[in-house]
Amino acid sequence: MAESNASIVNSNSTGGASNSTAVNATANFLLSSSSNSTTGADSNATAANETAIASTSMAESNATIVNSNSTGGASNSTAVNATANFLLSSSSNSTTGEDSNATSANGTATANLQSVISLSQILNDDPQISTIGNVNIINTGDDRENVALCYMPYLFSFEAENAIGIYEGMASVALAMEHLNTGNGTIIPELDGLNQRCPLKFVSDAFDIEAQKSVAVDTVIELTDRSRQGELIPCAILGAERSSISIPTSMIASLRGFPQISPISTSTELDDKSQYKLFGRTVPNDDGTAIPLLAKLVSWGVRYFAVLHSDDSYGNAFARGIRSAALNEASIVRVETFPIEVGADNQTISAAIKQLKDLQFTYFFGIIWGTDANNIMTEAYNQGIAGTGKHSWIFSDSMGSHVIGKNYSVGSPLEKAFRGTSVLLATGGIPGVGLDRFDKLATSIQVLGENAPDRSYLDGLYPKKPSVEIFVNIPGLVATFLYDAVVAIGLASCGLVNTTTNEINAYNFTGESLYAAILNTTFAGTSGSVVLDPVTGTRHPLSALFSLTNFVDDEDAVVGSDVIQFKGIGTDLFKSGDWVSLHPFTFNDGTVDIPPDLPALKTNENYLSTGLKAVGLTLCGFIILLALGFSYWTFHYSNKRIVRSSQPLFLYLISAGTLLMGADAACMSFPWLLTIGFSLTFSALSTKTYRINRIMQSAKRFQRIKITSMDVIKPMVALLMINIIVLTVWTVIDPLHRETVVVTQDPFDRNTETYGICSSDQGYVFLATLGTINFGCLVFAVLQAYHARSISTELQESSYIFTAMAFILVVSFIGIPVLVVAQSNVNALYFIQAGLIFVICTSILTLIFIPKIVALRKSKLTRSASFASISRHSEDEGIKVMNSPMVIVQMEEEIKDLKRLLEMQGTRNECSNDREDAKSAVDDPVDGSIGIASEQQVDANTTSDSENQNPKQVYTRKISFSSEFSSSMSLN
């Protein structure tokens, strides 16, 4: 064992100025395989922090360790002097991480990363380096044994804002290597005692690739150049963050035989083993990330959403993965994707946002980088698809923590646009939800940041100094995946070491064999169960955790009243294929109510206007009142001769039929009411007229006939029953039902204009059947009315019926074609239907009842005039009758009837029998028979003795009476 006096300088230069950390240490290194150490627990170290100028002489130091990152012409250095004994044998035991706040005897903090710090000191001592396979053999000189070293360079873009936790990621790499070197199983139990089983040691270094492919490619080419003498070669490479960078770097690394394990590159393209043979990742690919994304959107009821993605390998592959996954998700109806170049100008951004706006979607998924987020969201706000309270934005992991901790002016476009947004990402976990390994890692990283020696060492590794405070409670996006990547590489490489021999060939494994071992390594990591696909090298999505982080107001932020900051709250955790709610999600409108995925639908369903409804109900009410009024009139004057001769039963049926036709109804009840009402009305008219025609024809033949009401009701009932049977079959087999007819639709196939109709698949068959039956009834009624056209109007309504039929036919001839044309216009259709029914019902009622009412009133006036003037004179006893011309007209009609009777042939008895039947029908309407008009008037003006006279005698007597009556009229 010997003392080491070394000057170790690790430099990453980016300019003329440098930030340097100097650690002065005097150490004794014992590298034998038999030594045991409690590094970090029983170390004796003295640390002092002081500020030093880079040019200051360090001659008095036993060892000077300088990690320099130059950014300008000035130099700021921090010196840490420490004295420690490092025991780095393969059999040593460590408690590093358990006593994270260990202090030396004088109270000075000791390093938790002592093994990696010691290895860095050895490497900076310019030792002799040789390689076997992908393992570096470090010849430390003197009597110490060689060190077998697995070197894992860390390739990332060290942004000043630390948006995705890159600095915490470097700390997690160092911590994982410390746990591998010392066999610390406090986080991963599989590491417990590993240092006793595996002689390999692990170390890393950080390289800033500046988010540029060219820089990354040059770095990988240099690192994997095996021809370099005295330089470390990687056993595996860690990184990069962007898929667009990992694609070329992993291609080069694979060709040269070096595995590359990324903690965050998610492009599905990297699964192509024909090009990226040795690429793996501890994060699911974009197809895997699409699974929890769609699951969350579906849980919100989202069917339509758009994706705005960076036009690079990462964004394009992610968008393809979402489209592919959406094809297997039945609930997702439509997904639209739009590329936008990284660092796009305002004009390009405006055009892309315009495309999103034109979709009219309200949910958007942004696969964009944090550097472009402000410009994109400002334009989204300006075009009205962000910050409205109706639109929701979710971002991919490329957004990182860009929104958190920034100052936004209250009411500014960005403040309104980012409020209620969220980030969906594969994560190591969420603090305080029972994820023990994640919580331990978060605590350990925070301890490293609070411990001066550890923080000094890490600051020396960082190529750039972060502009924000690091080592917060949340490790960041990449820390857990990097920790698990280092552990996977460490366990796999240790598994390849032949521990049965002490020969140098025990470490002779290739990159291909190491990669295969990594894919077969599974363990419970800080980010969940680490299971890599043995074919693609990609982590299985159901073995990882995904979180949804919601950006809400940070009430604890110390800012002015006109400034606000957002904080991230883990609201949901995707674990084992299901989302678990941890906290209510707040949307852009400030509520937890899930917004709809499409704009509010305004559908014109073409409902009847209030005014048109009022008109229809008024017409309906008028028909009903008219039918009821005429029914009451029939009942009230049922003992009058005009009503009795018009047969009240049929008048009631006509009123009932029109009432049913005029009643308002819906769908299947409409044909019932209309058909039954029509059948009642026109069957009553036809049978009533038919009965009169039969009697008149019998009278002309001087035949005795008796037709009762029941005789004519039977065919009417038969017709009604046929209609009822057809309607019943229609109702049972294929009833009318309301059907919505779509007129127009919006781009989402939503109905913007519709109207409702009553539809039936076989309705035309039943309508044709009913139409044929009832049209036959109508024709029969018209024919009967035509045959009865010469019969006195007092006893039947043939002329009025004929007029009503003609009027109905004319209206129907015009109205029915209009009905067909107006099918799509509900208001017009309803008005025409209501108008046709109103015209049919009112024409029947008025033409049947109004003449009777007028005739009844005239008969009252006639009787009143006939007996209005009666005077008695003492010198001339008797009664003087004054009559009107109406009586003369009636008498003349009776004379004409009697003349026709004289022309008929028949015997005296037959004539006498016919007169008896006619008289009986008029005087006794209860038996249902009806007589002849001329005979009624004869019976009304002659004595009972005339029954035994022959027609010629009756006629002679009438002539005589009429002449005398006419003479009396002329005298007066």
Side-chain angles (χ1 to χ4, degrees):
M1 183 173 65
E3 289 185 55
S4 173
N5 297 317
S7 178
I8 304 173
V9 179
N10 295 326
S11 177
N12 296 285
S13 178
T14 58
S18 67
N19 295 317
S20 302
T21 301
V23 180
N24 297 330
T26 301
N28 292 321
F29 301 102
L30 183 59
L31 301 176
S32 65
S33 60
S34 60
S35 62
N36 296 315
S37 173
T38 57
T39 304
D42 298 324
S43 62
N44 295 318
T46 302
N49 298 326
E50 62 180 15
T51 304
I53 306 300
S55 61
T56 301
S57 173
M58 311 296 281
E60 60 271 38
S61 303
N62 292 326
T64 303
I65 303 174
V66 180
N67 295 312
S68 177
N69 298 283
S70 178
T71 58
S75 174
N76 296 319
S77 303
T78 301
V80 178
N81 298 327
T83 301
N85 292 321
F86 300 104
L87 305 178
L88 300 176
S89 67
S90 61
S91 61
S92 62
N93 296 318
S94 173
T95 58
T96 303
E98 296 179 358
D99 299 324
S100 58
N101 293 319
T103 59
S104 64
N106 60 3
T108 304
T110 59
N112 293 295
L113 303 175
Q114 289 192 24
S115 71
V116 293
I117 292 175
S118 298
L119 288 171
S120 296
Q121 290 173 341
I122 293 174
L123 295 174
N124 283 302
D125 201 19
D126 197 19
Q128 183 180 354
I129 301 175
S130 60
T131 60
I132 299 178
N134 283 19
V135 177
N136 300 277
I137 305 299
I138 311 299
N139 186 356
T140 60
D142 299 330
D143 297 331
R144 291 171 296 180
E145 291 185 359
N146 295 331
V147 177
L149 193 66
C150 178
Y151 174 56
M152 290 181 261
Y154 176 59
L155 277 62
F156 259 78
S157 303
F158 282 82
E159 301 171 350
E161 293 183 353
N162 191 37
I164 59 175
I166 294 174
Y167 293 90
E168 289 88 351
M170 185 68 244
S172 71
V173 169
L175 185 64
M177 292 183 175
E178 179 70 22
H179 291 169
L180 287 169
N181 292 336
T182 59
N184 188 335
T186 56
I187 296 179
I188 307 297
E190 287 86 344
L191 300 184
D192 190 34
L194 181 66
N195 59 330
Q196 297 179 8
R197 304 187 302 272
C198 177
L200 282 175
K201 299 302 173 185
F202 303 89
V203 74
S204 182
D205 202 356
F207 294 86
D208 184 11
I209 57 177
E210 303 175 9
Q212 297 182 23
K213 294 180 183 179
S214 58
V215 175
V217 168
D218 291 342
T219 301
V220 171
I221 291 174
E222 182 179 357
L223 286 172
T224 57
D225 185 3
R226 296 179 183 271
S227 65
R228 296 186 304 161
Q229 298 296 322
E231 299 291 340
L232 295 174
I233 63 169
C235 65
I237 298 173
L238 298 174
E241 77 276 18
R242 295 189 180 185
S243 297
S244 59
I245 296 177
S246 291
I247 286 173
T249 58
S250 64
M251 186 179 297
I252 296 172
S254 297
L255 290 174
R256 294 192 171 189
F258 296 95
Q260 179 176 333
I261 308 299
S262 173
I264 194 174
S265 295
T266 57
S267 173
T268 309
E269 183 179 345
L270 289 165
D271 287 342
D272 185 359
K273 295 298 104 174
S274 65
Q275 299 187 68
Y276 319 105
K277 296 180 181 180
L278 303 182
F279 178 82
R281 45 192 163 194
T282 52
V283 66
N285 62 17
D286 294 328
D287 288 353
T289 306
I291 295 174
L293 169 64
L294 296 182
K296 173 48 67 176
L297 292 175
V298 168
S299 70
W300 284 346
V302 177
R303 300 160 298 160
Y304 300 83
F305 71 97
V307 178
L308 181 66
H309 63 91
S310 58
D311 192 8
D312 55 13
S313 299
Y314 163 70
N316 292 329
F318 203 158
R320 285 196 301 269
I322 292 174
R323 289 196 300 268
S324 177
L327 295 176
N328 299 321
E329 179 55 63
S331 299
I332 299 299
V333 176
R334 184 178 169 193
V335 178
E336 297 289 345
T337 59
F338 299 93
I340 184 170
E341 62 183 77
V342 178
D345 57 25
N346 291 335
Q347 184 177 359
T348 303
I349 293 175
S350 178
I353 297 300
K354 177 66 167 53
Q355 289 179 302
L356 297 180
K357 180 180 179 181
D358 291 342
L359 293 173
Q360 301 183 49
F361 293 172
T362 60
Y363 281 83
F364 304 99
F365 185 67
I367 310 173
I368 58 177
W369 299 99
T371 52
D372 295 328
N374 285 359
N375 292 336
I376 290 175
M377 295 306 291
T378 298
E379 183 62 25
Y381 173 81
N382 292 335
Q383 294 198 30
I385 61 171
T388 63
K390 300 177 181 179
H391 297 83
S392 300
W393 283 78
I394 305 174
F395 301 102
S396 69
D397 50 12
S398 58
M399 186 72 166
S401 57
H402 173 80
V403 178
I404 298 176
K406 303 292 193 309
N407 289 337
Y408 299 99
S409 298
V410 175
S412 66
L414 286 179
E415 182 266 332
K416 292 182 177 180
F418 281 128
R419 181 184 300 277
T421 58
S422 57
V423 170
L424 173 68
L425 47 82
T427 182
I430 297 176
V433 296
L435 301 174
D436 182 61
R437 291 178 176 83
F438 174 83
D439 291 337
K440 287 181 178 180
L441 178 63
T443 301
S444 299
I445 290 176
Q446 187 177 14
V447 168
L448 293 180
E450 295 172 351
N451 184 274
D454 295 323
R455 182 63 179 268
S456 179
Y457 168 73
L458 292 171
D459 285 344
L461 290 178
Y462 295 143
K464 291 179 182 177
K465 185 176 179 60
S467 62
V468 296
E469 181 62 24
I470 59 175
F471 304 110
V472 293
N473 291 330
I474 300 176
L477 177 60
V478 299
T480 54
F481 298 109
L482 277 170
Y483 184 93
D484 290 344
V486 172
V487 170
I489 296 171
L491 291 174
S493 58
C494 283
L496 294 176
V497 174
N498 186 358
T499 58
T500 62
T501 178
N502 290 326
E503 296 179 3
I504 201 71
N505 289 332
Y507 310 107
N508 188 14
F509 56 82
T510 64
E512 287 79 5
S513 60
L514 176 58
Y515 179 73
I518 293 171
L519 299 189
N520 290 323
T521 301
T522 60
F523 59 94
T526 59
S527 61
S529 298
V530 179
V531 180
L532 305 184
D533 189 301
V535 176
T536 64
T538 295
R539 185 168 181 175
H540 194 283
L542 296 183
S543 74
L545 302 173
F546 293 86
S547 68
L548 188 65
T549 302
N550 189 201
F551 299 139
V552 297
D553 293 355
D554 187 358
E555 297 86 357
D556 299 328
V558 181
V559 292
S561 59
D562 58 344
V563 176
I564 195 173
Q565 286 187 358
F566 294 113
K567 63 180 179 180
I569 296 179
T571 58
D572 299 88
L573 184 67
F574 188 79
K575 184 178 181 181
S576 301
D578 294 308
W579 280 103
V580 178
S581 179
L582 307 175
H583 191 276
F585 188 96
T586 302
F587 291 90
N588 185 250
D589 61 357
T591 70
V592 297
D593 299 328
I594 300 173
D597 58 347
L598 293 176
L601 178 63
K602 296 180 180 179
T603 302
N604 178 14
E605 296 182 309
N606 285 303
Y607 287 126
L608 296 177
S609 63
T610 304
L612 195 57
K613 286 181 181 179
V615 171
L617 292 174
T618 301
L619 296 179
C620 174
F622 183 81
I623 293 173
I624 294 173
L625 290 176
L626 202 62
L628 294 176
F630 286 143
S631 296
Y632 174 77
W633 179 86
T634 302
F635 173 77
H636 184 71
Y637 293 104
S638 59
N639 59 341
K640 299 298 182 180
R641 180 169 173 270
I642 291 178
V643 175
R644 289 164 58 199
S645 63
S646 296
Q647 305 164 80
L649 175 61
F650 293 98
L651 296 180
Y652 288 137
L653 290 175
I654 291 171
S655 297
T658 53
L659 186 147
L660 291 176
M661 282 195 291
D664 193 9
C667 277
M668 199 62 223
S669 58
F670 178 76
W672 275 89
L673 294 177
L674 183 62
T675 302
I676 293 176
F678 186 91
S679 178
L680 284 175
T681 301
F682 286 93
S683 63
L685 288 173
S686 61
T687 53
K688 179 177 182 294
T689 310
Y690 171 73
R691 183 186 184 196
I692 295 173
N693 285 333
R694 285 286 306 276
I695 293 175
M696 294 303 298
Q697 292 171 3
S698 299
K700 289 178 181 180
R701 294 192 299 267
F702 290 94
Q703 293 179 348
R704 187 173 185 272
I705 186 172
K706 184 175 183 180
I707 302 177
T708 65
S709 296
M710 289 304 299
D711 293 331
V712 293
I713 285 178
K714 289 178 182 179
M716 183 178 66
V717 172
L719 178 65
L720 186 62
M721 290 305 299
I722 293 174
N723 281 289
I724 291 176
I725 291 173
V726 174
L727 289 169
T728 302
V729 174
W730 187 5
T731 304
V732 173
I733 295 178
D734 187 25
L736 285 173
H737 59 277
R738 178 177 174 80
E739 180 179 325
T740 300
V741 178
V742 178
V743 180
T744 58
Q745 292 182 318
D746 65 5
F748 317 111
D749 298 329
R750 297 185 300 175
N751 301 334
T752 55
E753 183 178 1
T754 63
Y755 65 88
I757 61 172
C758 292
S759 177
S760 173
D761 295 336
Q762 305 297 326
Y764 292 107
V765 175
F766 294 102
L767 283 175
T769 304
L770 291 172
T772 302
I773 295 170
N774 290 284
F775 181 74
C777 176
L778 177 62
V779 171
F780 182 74
V782 172
L783 290 175
Q784 293 302 317
Y786 176 78
H787 291 314
R789 64 189 183 279
S790 60
I791 300 176
S792 175
T793 305
E794 181 182 1
L795 298 179
Q796 50 79 40
E797 304 82 8
S798 59
S799 61
Y800 294 109
I801 293 174
F802 191 80
T803 302
M805 295 301 101
F807 188 69
I808 291 171
L809 288 175
V810 171
V811 172
S812 299
F813 180 77
I814 298 173
I816 292 177
V818 176
L819 279 176
V820 176
V821 174
Q823 285 293 320
S824 60
N825 191 324
V826 176
N827 288 309
L829 183 66
Y830 176 80
F831 180 77
I832 295 171
Q833 286 179 342
L836 282 175
I837 295 173
F838 178 78
V839 168
I840 291 172
C841 293
T842 53
S843 62
I844 293 172
L845 289 173
T846 54
L847 289 173
I848 294 297
F849 285 94
I850 295 299
K852 300 182 186 306
I853 295 173
V854 173
L856 180 62
R857 183 169 182 80
K858 286 182 177 180
S859 66
K860 288 182 179 180
L861 293 175
T862 299
R863 289 195 299 272
S864 176
S866 299
F867 300 99
S869 179
I870 300 176
S871 58
R872 294 179 180 274
H873 303 280
S874 56
E875 64 277 10
D876 186 11
E877 293 183 0
I879 298 176
K880 187 176 182 179
V881 179
M882 304 297 294
N883 209 332
S884 65
M886 179 62 70
V887 177
I888 300 174
V889 173
Q890 292 177 352
M891 294 299 296
E892 290 177 349
E893 289 179 355
E894 293 177 4
I895 293 170
K896 291 179 181 179
D897 290 337
L898 291 173
K899 285 181 178 180
R900 284 196 295 269
L901 288 174
L902 288 175
E903 296 173 357
M904 297 178 183
Q905 298 298 325
T907 62
R908 179 175 179 275
N909 294 333
E910 289 176 339
C911 181
S912 177
N913 291 336
D914 288 335
R915 286 198 305 275
E916 289 176 0
D917 290 340
K919 184 178 184 300
S920 175
V922 174
D923 294 338
D924 187 14
V926 179
D927 65 358
S929 62
I930 184 168
I932 303 171
S934 59
E935 292 181 332
Q936 287 178 326
Q937 300 206 10
V938 169
D939 294 337
N941 295 282
T942 60
T943 63
S944 58
D945 293 337
S946 64
E947 294 180 1
N948 297 320
Q949 300 173 2
N950 59 35
K952 186 173 182 178
Q953 292 173 326
V954 174
Y955 171 70
T956 304
R957 180 162 182 164
K958 281 288 185 180
I959 294 292
S960 175
F961 177 80
S962 178
S963 300
E964 294 174 0
F965 192 80
S966 297
S967 300
S968 175
M969 287 293 297
S970 62
L971 292 173
N972 291 285

